[in-house]
Amino acid sequence: GAVVSQHPSWVICKSGTSVKIECRSLDFQATTMFWYRQFPKQSLMLMATSNEGSKATYEQGVEKDKFLINHASLTLSTLTVTSAHPEDSSFYICSASLAGVGEQYFGPGTRLTVT
Amino acid sequence: GQQVMQIPQCQHVQEGEDFTTYCNSSTTLSNIQWYKQRPGGHPVFLIQLVKSGEVKKQKRLTFQFGEAKKNSSLHITATQTTDVGTYFCAGLGNSGGGNYKLTFGKGTLLTVNP
């Protein structure tokens, strides 16, 4: 089946620093990748839709200058949390779709803790 | 915008009992997808329903899509401890301008007492 990897699995950083999270589709090409944020015991909050070769589409309320998304190839999308603050601490999950908005294959997630 | 509501928020059952989670959309959907997230894990795709009134089964799991394509349910017969996790529905709807968006429900956390 379709496999999506995410790196790193967890990261602890100091307030004010930037953190980059990578999302890779390992055995298929994904024209569209999605970035979610999930708080403990809560649902998935879509942050942005990432399309290869074009600018990401951000959901309302998500700061595009703070959460930089790059989808440079059909197998890699990156999310950079710039000038991280403790309130950015969360579980970030990416997903990729084989066909636009069809079934999504999720990465294992990245646990970000900002101290 | 499109909203997807899911109930109950959580349910605790004895092993062997049945379990059902319900999903309702504020708008008509193109399809509905179901995912399962084990504790500490990531969501895993279970199934997609497309047709009005569609019913699909996966062993002890039965998925239904309403006639109006605005609601769906997941029913588990004779739960087992391996069924523990959060079940999410996700509805694909038209967000305007020819674009479609997948909106997740808040999920139902199922715990099973052995």
Side-chain angles (χ1 to χ4, degrees):
Chain A
V3 179
V4 176
S5 71
Q6 233 177 292
H7 178 80
S9 300
W10 56 270
V11 57
I12 301 173
C13 71
K14 291 186 177 180
S15 188
T17 60
S18 295
V19 176
K20 180 187 280 190
I21 303 169
E22 292 186 349
C23 177
R24 293 180 186 273
S25 55
L26 297 184
D27 52 0
F28 66 100
Q29 293 185 328
T31 53
T32 306
M33 288 184 172
F34 306 87
W35 286 96
Y36 295 85
R37 186 172 177 178
Q38 187 175 37
F39 293 100
K41 298 183 180 179
Q42 292 193 27
S43 188
L44 300 154
M45 185 192 81
L46 179 65
M47 298 174 66
T49 302
S50 166
N51 294 295
E52 186 266 336
S54 63
K55 290 184 179 180
T57 303
Y58 289 81
E59 293 300 303
Q60 196 171 12
V62 178
E63 299 176 57
K64 60 182 179 182
D65 294 330
K66 181 167 183 63
F67 298 100
L68 300 178
I69 291 173
N70 185 279
H71 195 156
S73 76
L74 287 171
T75 59
L76 173 65
S77 177
T78 61
L79 166 68
T80 302
V81 183
T82 62
S83 188
H85 288 100
E87 56 265 31
D88 298 325
S89 299
S90 190
F91 192 50
Y92 292 89
I93 313 179
C94 71
S95 72
S97 178
L98 283 164
V101 287
E103 61 198 73
Q104 296 186 22
Y105 297 92
F106 285 83
T110 298
R111 176 77 56 193
L112 170 64
T113 302
V114 185
T115 60
Chain B
Q2 180 183 303
Q3 292 184 341
V4 174
M5 291 143 286
Q6 196 174 348
I7 57 169
Q9 264 192 315
C10 59
Q11 187 157 1
H12 181 79
V13 300
Q14 287 292 127
E15 189 171 22
E17 292 181 339
D18 292 355
F19 159 78
T20 306
T21 172
Y22 301 90
C23 194
N24 274 291
S25 169
S26 58
T27 59
T28 303
L29 300 170
S30 296
N31 71 48
I32 194 149
Q33 302 168 21
W34 285 91
Y35 295 79
K36 177 184 178 181
Q37 184 175 21
R38 292 181 185 273
H42 60 277
V44 174
F45 174 80
L46 293 177
I47 209 160
Q48 175 174 288
L49 304 171
V50 179
K51 299 176 184 176
S52 168
E54 188 170 13
V55 177
K56 286 188 177 180
K57 291 191 176 185
Q58 287 180 351
K59 297 183 180 177
R60 293 177 295 103
L61 278 60
T62 302
F63 303 85
Q64 289 188 312
F65 201 9
E67 294 290 341
K69 299 182 73 172
K70 294 180 75 173
N71 55 58
S72 181
S73 65
L74 157 59
H75 179 81
I76 302 179
T77 304
T79 54
Q80 299 175 359
T81 53
T82 52
D83 295 326
V84 165
T86 301
Y87 293 85
F88 292 98
C89 64
L92 182 67
N94 191 331
S95 59
N99 298 314
Y100 286 81
K101 179 179 173 181
L102 193 66
T103 303
F104 279 81
K106 291 190 183 298
T108 296
L109 172 63
L110 171 65
T111 54
V112 180
N113 198 27

